[in-house]
C-alpha cells in the first residue's frame, strides 16, 4: 500500500456569508485536503463531512515520517473502501472549526484579535452552504457522493434536501434526523462544563493567555462515555484497577478512569473550547423538518433526489439504529433508492470510525456500484 | 446468475408481477429474485433481509435492500405503498406467520407467497418411514433446520379462508412441471397470489 501524502490547502472567500442566525461574515477561509484525481468530467468527486471533533485531515499523512494518519484513513485511500484511485475525495474543516478554517480562535481581521465570543453561531445549513461554495471554487457541480458519520451524516442529509441535484449518492452513517432531548441534554452538560470554567472568560480566554482546560476535559469525558457502549467498556476496562488494590482516594484507580482522563487531557490540549460549543449547538439545532409545518421528515425528504446508503451500528445508543430507520422510512415514503444496514458492532457510536469487515465491505461494494454506473 | 438458470418458481412469480410495479421482497436472500424482477419486469423494488452476507450480496447487485427482522413487523412501511409484497421460500422460517401475512396485505395491494409443500408425496413417504423429510426443497436435517412452520397446500388455503384472504391465483409445481391434478400430493412447491378479502 503506497503512502498517501497530502498537503492542506486554503480557500479564501471574500463574498459575505449571511448565516441562519442572521449574522454576516464578510469573509472567511476554509482549509481542505484532497485525495485522488478529479476526472475530466468532474464527476468523480466525493465530499466527506466531519463530525463533532473532526477536521479536514481525513486520510493519508502530511509527510513521509508522519505517524498519525487522518481520522478516516481506514476507509479512504488507495485501494480502500472509498478508493482514491477512482474518486477525488475532499475533506474540509467546517466553518467555526479550530483546525485552520475561520473560527472563534481565528484572528478577526477587523480587530486584529481572535474572534472569541464574537464568532457567530453556525448551523448545519450554514456548513452545507460553505461546502457548496468550496465545490463551486473547485468546479464541481455534482458530487458522485457525499459521505459523513454522526454530525457528518446530518450534513449529508441536509445536502440532499438543500442541493438535491448536486449529489448522486448520499452515505448517511450513524446519524439521526434530529437529536432527542436526551442527546441535547448531554450536549448541554458538556457546554456547562466549559461555560462555567473560570478560565473561559465568556469565550475571550485568548486575551488572558489561558484555556478552559477543566471544562473541555469534562466535556470530552462525558462525550466518550456516550460514544462507547456499556459492553465495549466492560470488555476493554471492566473493573480493572491500575494497582490491583483500592487506595481509598480520588486519584486514578480504575482503568476506565485512566482512559477517560487521558482522552480528556489530550482533547483539552488540542481543541478550541468555543469551537466545541459551536459544534454541539449545531448538533442541537439540526432539524431539517424545522421549515415544515407538520415537522414531517417524509415531507421534508420530498426534495431529495439522491440514492442513499444508510448505516447504523447495533450498540450505538447516542445515534441508535431506530433513528437511522426513521431516515430510511422517510426515504421509502418518497420512493427514493435506499439501502439500509445495521452493523452488529460492539463499539457503540465510535464504531463508525472503526474497521469492521461487514461495514467496510458494504461501503466498498456500494462505491464500486457508483463507479460502474458512471 | 444468468437467466438460463432462473428457478421455475421465480418465473411464476415474475409472470404475476405487472411491468413497472413497485415490489417489496421479504426475506430476499442474496437478491436473485429481486434482480430478476428488476431486469425482466422493470420492477422498482426493495428487498428486506436480516443476514449480513445477503445484505452485502444485494448491494453488490445494485439493489435496494433494508436490513430488518421480518418477525418485528413492517412498521417502516406505509399501507398500500407497494403493488406486490413477496414472500418466497421464507414463510416456513418465520415465527409470527399470521402477523407477517397481515402486514404483507397491509403494505401491499397484493401479496405473493411461495413455500415448499409439506404434503408432497416424497415428504409423506419419509414421514411414513419414520423420518423427518429431507428433499431438495427441504434440504435440512431436523436439528439444524430454520423451518419452524411448515405447511401443506391444504393448510395454507384453509388459513386464507379462515381469515377472509382472497386467493387470486395458485401455481403448484414439481421441479419445472406445473401440477394440476392432486397438487397437495404431487407438488413440491406452491405459489399463491393473494389480496385482502
Amino acid at each position: 500500500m503506497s503512502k498517501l501524502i497530502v498537503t492542506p490547502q486554503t480557500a479564501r472567500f471574500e463574498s459575505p456569508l449571511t448565516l441562519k442566525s442572521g449574522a454576516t461574515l464578510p469573509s472567511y477561509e476554509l482549509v481542505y485536503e484532497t485525495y485522488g484525481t478529479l476526472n475530466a468530467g468532474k464527476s468523480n468527486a466525493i465530499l466527506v463531512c466531519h463530525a463533532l471533533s473532526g477536521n479536514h485531515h481525513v486520510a493519508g499523512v502530511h509527510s513521509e515520517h508522519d505517524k498519525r494518519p487522518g481520522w478516516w484513513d481506514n476507509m479512504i485511500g488507495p485501494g480502500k473502501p472509498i478508493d482514491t484511485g477512482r474518486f477525488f475525495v475532499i475533506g474540509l474543516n467546517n466553518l467555526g472549526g479550530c483546525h485552520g478554517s475561520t473560527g472563534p480562535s481565528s484572528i478577526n481581521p477587523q480587530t486584529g484579535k481572535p474572534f472569541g465570543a464574537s464568532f457567530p453561531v453556525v448551523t448545519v445549513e450554514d456548513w452545507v452552504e460553505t461546502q457548496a461554495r468550496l465545490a463551486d471554487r473547485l468546479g464541481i457541480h455534482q458530487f458522485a457522493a457525499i459521505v459523513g458519520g454522526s454530525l457528518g451524516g446530518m450534513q449529508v442529509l441536509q445536502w440532499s434536501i438543500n442541493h438535491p441535484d448536486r449529489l448522486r449518492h448520499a452515505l448517511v452513517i450513524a446519524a439521526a434526523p434530529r437529536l432527542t432531548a436526551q442527546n441535547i441534554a448531554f450536549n448541554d452538560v458538556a457546554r456547562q462544563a466549559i461555560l462555567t470554567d473560570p478560565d473561559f472568560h465568556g469565550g475571550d480566554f485568548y486575551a488572558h493567555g489561558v484555556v478552559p482546560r477543566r471544562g473541555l476535559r469534562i466535556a470530552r469525558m462525558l462525550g466518550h462515555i456516550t460514544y462507547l457502549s456499556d459492553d465495549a467498556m466492560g470488555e476493554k476496562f471492566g473493573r480493572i484497577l491500575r494497582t490491583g488494590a483500592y487506595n481509598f482516594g480520588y486519584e486514578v484507580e480504575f482503568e476506565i478512569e485512566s482512559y477517560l482522563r487521558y482522552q480528556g487531557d489530550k482533547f483539552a490540549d488540542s481543541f478550541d473550547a468555543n469551537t466545541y460549543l459551536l459544534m454541539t449547538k449545531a448538533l442541537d439545532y439540526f432539524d431539517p423538518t424545522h421549515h415544515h409545518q407538520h415537522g414531517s421528515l417524509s415531507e421534508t425528504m420530498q426534495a431529495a433526489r439522491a440514492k442513499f446508503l444508510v448505516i447504523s451500528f447495533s450498540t450505538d445508543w447516542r445515534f441508535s439504529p431506530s433513528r437511522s430507520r426513521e431516515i430510511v422510512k422517510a426515504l421509502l415514503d418518497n420512493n427514493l433508492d435506499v439501502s439500509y444496514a445495521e452493523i452488529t458492532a460492539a463499539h457503540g457510536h465510535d464504531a463508525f470510525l472503526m474497521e469492521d469487515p461487514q461495514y467496510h465491505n458494504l461501503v466498498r461494494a456500494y462505491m464500486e456500484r457508483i463507479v460502474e454506473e458512471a | 446468475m444468468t437467466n438460463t438458470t432462473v428457478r421455475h418458481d421465480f418465473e411464476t412469480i415474475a409472470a404475476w408481477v405487472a411491468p413497472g410495479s413497485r415490489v417489496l421482497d421479504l426475506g430476499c436472500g442474496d437478491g436473485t429474485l429481486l434482480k430478476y424482477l428488476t431486469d425482466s419486469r422493470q420492477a422498482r423494488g426493495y428487498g428486506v433481509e436480516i443476514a449480513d452476507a445477503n445484505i452485502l450480496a444485494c448491494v453488490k447487485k445494485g439493489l435496494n435492500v433494508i436490513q430488518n427482522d421480518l418477525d418485528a413487523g413492517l412498521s417502516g412501511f406505509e399501507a398500500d405503498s407497494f403493488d406486490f409484497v413477496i414472500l418466497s421460500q421464507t414463510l416456513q422460517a418465520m415465527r409470527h406467520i399470521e402477523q407477517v401475512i397481515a402486514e404483507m396485505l397491509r403494505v401491499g395491494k397484493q401479496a405473493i407467497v411461495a413455500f415448499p409443500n409439506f404434503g408432497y408425496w416424497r415428504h409423506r413417504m419419509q414421514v411414513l418411514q419414520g423420518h423427518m423429510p429431507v428433499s431438495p426443497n427441504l434440504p435440512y436435517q431436523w436439528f439444524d433446520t430454520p423451518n419452524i412452520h411448515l405447511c401443506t397446500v391444504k393448510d395454507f388455503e384453509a388459513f386464507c379462508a379462515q381469515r377472509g384472504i382472497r386467493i387470486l391465483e395458485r401455481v403448484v409445481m414439481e421441479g419445472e412441471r406445473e401440477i394440476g391434478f392432486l397438487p397437495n400430493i404431487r407438488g413440491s412447491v406452491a405459489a399463491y397470489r393473494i389480496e385482502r378479502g
Side-chain angles (χ1 to χ4, degrees):
Chain A
M1 201 67 80
S2 60
K3 256 196 186 165
L4 185 66
I5 295 176
V6 284
T7 307
Q9 302 170 71
T10 302
R12 185 161 179 80
F13 298 85
E14 297 290 358
S15 51
L17 175 74
T18 301
L19 302 162
K20 281 287 151 198
S21 67
T24 303
L25 275 176
S27 65
Y28 56 95
E29 288 181 348
L30 295 175
V31 168
Y32 66 100
E33 283 180 10
T34 69
Y35 322 89
T37 312
L38 188 61
N39 63 15
K42 299 193 173 181
S43 63
N44 69 332
I46 291 181
L47 177 67
V48 178
C49 302
H50 70 72
L52 184 60
S53 59
N55 54 48
H56 56 280
H57 187 37
V58 176
V61 288
H62 287 148
S63 72
E64 196 62 50
H65 310 291
D66 187 355
K67 289 274 184 287
R68 295 183 49 203
W71 57 267
W72 220 359
D73 191 68
N74 59 23
M75 182 68 87
I76 296 161
K80 306 262 174 83
I82 298 176
D83 187 354
T84 52
R86 290 165 158 179
F87 293 105
F88 177 70
V89 181
I90 304 164
L92 82 157
N93 184 210
N94 278 343
L95 186 70
C98 55
H99 292 89
S101 291
T102 302
S105 54
S106 314
I107 301 296
N108 180 347
Q110 290 170 318
T111 64
K113 294 196 183 86
F115 279 98
S118 72
F119 195 86
V121 170
V122 289
T123 65
V124 167
E125 284 188 87
D126 294 328
W127 285 336
V128 167
E129 189 50 41
T130 54
Q131 289 160 1
R133 289 190 185 191
L134 179 63
D136 293 342
R137 179 73 55 96
L138 299 173
I140 297 158
H141 173 68
Q142 188 187 63
F143 286 100
I146 303 185
V147 186
S150 189
L151 175 57
M154 290 171 161
Q155 291 162 64
V156 179
L157 212 50
Q158 194 73 58
W159 259 99
S160 75
I161 298 161
N162 287 19
H163 300 287
D165 301 325
R166 296 198 69 173
L167 66 160
R168 293 198 298 281
H169 294 266
L171 278 73
V172 180
I173 302 168
R178 53 190 166 183
L179 291 192
T180 57
Q182 185 192 53
N183 236 311
I184 294 169
F186 282 128
N187 285 340
D188 196 49
V189 174
R191 281 192 295 267
Q192 283 298 309
I194 292 167
L195 292 165
T196 58
D197 185 323
D199 286 336
F200 182 63
H201 297 286
D204 293 321
F205 49 86
Y206 315 96
H208 297 262
V210 292
V211 172
R213 283 189 48 105
R214 282 162 292 187
L216 259 174
R217 186 165 168 265
I218 292 168
R220 188 60 171 176
M221 286 169 80
L222 172 72
H224 264 288
I225 296 168
T226 67
Y227 303 147
L228 286 170
S229 71
D230 195 12
D231 287 350
M233 260 196 207
E235 202 173 310
K236 197 167 169 183
F237 306 105
R239 294 183 46 84
I240 299 168
L241 292 157
R242 301 201 69 190
T243 60
Y246 292 169
N247 296 328
F248 303 99
Y250 298 106
E251 291 308 304
V252 171
E253 289 192 90
F254 291 95
E255 283 291 355
I256 183 64
E257 292 174 323
S258 164
Y259 168 81
L260 283 178
R261 292 183 200 192
Y262 168 76
Q263 290 293 347
D265 287 337
K266 200 170 70 162
F267 193 70
D269 288 333
S270 63
F271 209 83
D272 179 69
N274 284 312
T275 288
Y276 199 80
L277 295 175
L278 284 181
M279 296 276 170
T280 61
K281 213 63 195 167
L283 264 170
D284 291 359
Y285 283 155
F286 177 74
D287 181 3
T289 69
H290 192 65
H291 305 298
H292 283 258
Q293 285 170 317
H294 311 296
S296 150
L297 189 63
S298 292
E299 275 183 50
T300 305
M301 295 315 295
Q302 273 176 10
R305 294 289 170 270
K307 296 177 177 182
F308 284 78
L309 176 64
V310 179
I311 298 178
S312 71
F313 298 88
S314 57
T315 56
D316 184 348
W317 56 281
R318 187 126 195 208
F319 289 81
S320 69
S322 64
R323 307 308 315 283
S324 283
R325 281 199 292 267
E326 286 175 43
I327 297 170
V328 172
K329 182 172 187 310
L331 301 173
L332 284 169
D333 288 347
N334 287 291
N335 210 355
L336 288 159
D337 283 308
V338 53
S339 282
Y340 166 66
E342 188 178 314
I343 308 293
T344 305
H347 294 284
H349 187 55
D350 271 349
F352 89 89
L353 294 169
M354 297 187 181
E355 215 167 328
D356 174 275
Q358 173 73 4
Y359 169 38
H360 277 211
N361 287 339
L362 261 183
V363 173
R364 182 184 294 278
Y366 193 86
M367 298 313 291
E368 279 171 4
R369 294 294 308 190
I370 297 179
V371 172
E372 284 167 28
E373 76 182 27
Chain B
M1 172 109 200
T2 59
N3 276 353
T4 52
T5 58
V6 167
R7 285 175 23 196
H8 197 65
D9 51 336
F10 286 6
E11 286 177 26
T12 302
I13 292 168
W16 285 341
V17 171
S21 297
R22 214 169 119 82
V23 169
L24 184 65
D25 184 5
L26 304 180
C28 65
D30 66 3
T32 306
L33 172 61
L34 190 58
K35 183 89 174 90
Y36 182 56
L37 295 175
T38 307
D39 293 347
S40 70
R41 310 298 283 170
Q42 296 73 50
R44 275 200 45 75
Y46 299 85
V48 179
E49 181 48 56
I50 194 164
D52 283 351
N54 285 333
I55 295 287
L56 184 57
C58 289
V59 168
K60 281 184 175 166
K61 289 186 175 81
L63 297 165
N64 291 315
V65 64
I66 311 291
Q67 190 157 26
N68 200 352
D69 180 359
L70 291 178
D71 276 317
L74 299 176
S75 60
F77 301 94
E78 287 292 325
D80 281 330
S81 56
F82 289 91
D83 298 315
F84 296 95
V85 180
I86 299 168
L87 190 68
S88 170
Q89 306 299 330
T90 307
L91 177 81
Q92 68 281 1
M94 309 285 326
R95 283 169 65 97
H96 308 294
I97 287 187
E98 282 202 75
Q99 187 195 335
V100 169
I101 301 265
E103 278 289 85
M104 287 174 75
L105 291 169
R106 176 184 68 84
V107 168
K109 297 185 180 97
Q110 292 186 4
I112 294 170
V113 181
F115 56 86
N117 175 28
F118 199 78
Y120 180 48
W121 69 271
R122 287 182 190 277
H123 298 159
R124 298 184 191 215
M125 287 294 293
Q126 290 180 337
V127 173
L128 282 174
Q129 287 163 355
H131 287 289
M132 285 300 284
V134 178
S135 73
N137 289 302
L138 295 175
Y140 300 97
Q141 298 290 336
W142 65 271
F143 51 84
D144 69 358
T145 182
N147 299 331
I148 53 175
H149 282 135
L150 290 157
C151 72
T152 68
V153 163
K154 257 188 185 166
D155 289 334
F156 185 76
E157 289 176 15
F159 173 93
C160 291
Q162 283 160 8
R163 285 156 191 78
I165 297 167
R166 197 176 308 139
I167 295 175
L168 302 169
E169 270 186 277
R170 178 187 81 182
V171 171
V172 180
M173 285 163 288
E174 191 204 19
E176 292 188 7
R177 282 185 312 139
E178 202 169 313
I179 306 291
F181 180 62
L182 296 177
N184 198 29
I185 294 175
R186 296 175 59 229
S188 59
V189 173
Y192 290 86
R193 189 160 63 87
I194 58 177
E195 70 178 10
R196 288 183 291 257

